[in-house]
Amino acid sequence: MANKYSKSNKSTKAAEEKTMQDYEERRKRLNKGAKIMALILVASMIVFYVLSAGLFLMD
């Protein structure tokens, strides 16, 4: 009984390379999304800090 590991098939190697490329592409896209979300979070924290400091100084 043969399984996918016992065959020396070129198509499985090509499929593995394709899945690895897909994984790398998804990882890069995720990293971009994480960086954008972190920048938005930092910007909102700065805005909140400035607004709260301004309200505190108005008192």
Side-chain angles (χ1 to χ4, degrees):
M1 196 166 151
N3 60 15
K4 69 177 182 178
Y5 299 110
S6 67
K7 301 176 195 173
S8 65
N9 195 347
K10 299 278 185 205
S11 63
T12 59
K13 289 183 182 180
E16 286 175 5
E17 283 183 22
K18 185 173 187 250
T19 56
M20 192 61 176
Q21 287 173 352
D22 290 343
Y23 167 75
E24 300 250 341
E25 185 178 320
R26 277 185 284 149
R27 185 180 56 85
K28 287 178 185 175
R29 217 176 325 144
L30 255 170
N31 283 345
K32 285 181 187 175
K35 286 179 186 177
I36 290 170
M37 286 175 60
L39 288 173
I40 290 171
L41 178 67
V42 168
S44 64
M45 288 171 67
I46 290 171
V47 167
F48 179 76
Y49 174 74
V50 168
L51 288 176
S52 59
L55 288 174
F56 179 75
L57 289 175
M58 283 183 143
D59 252 354

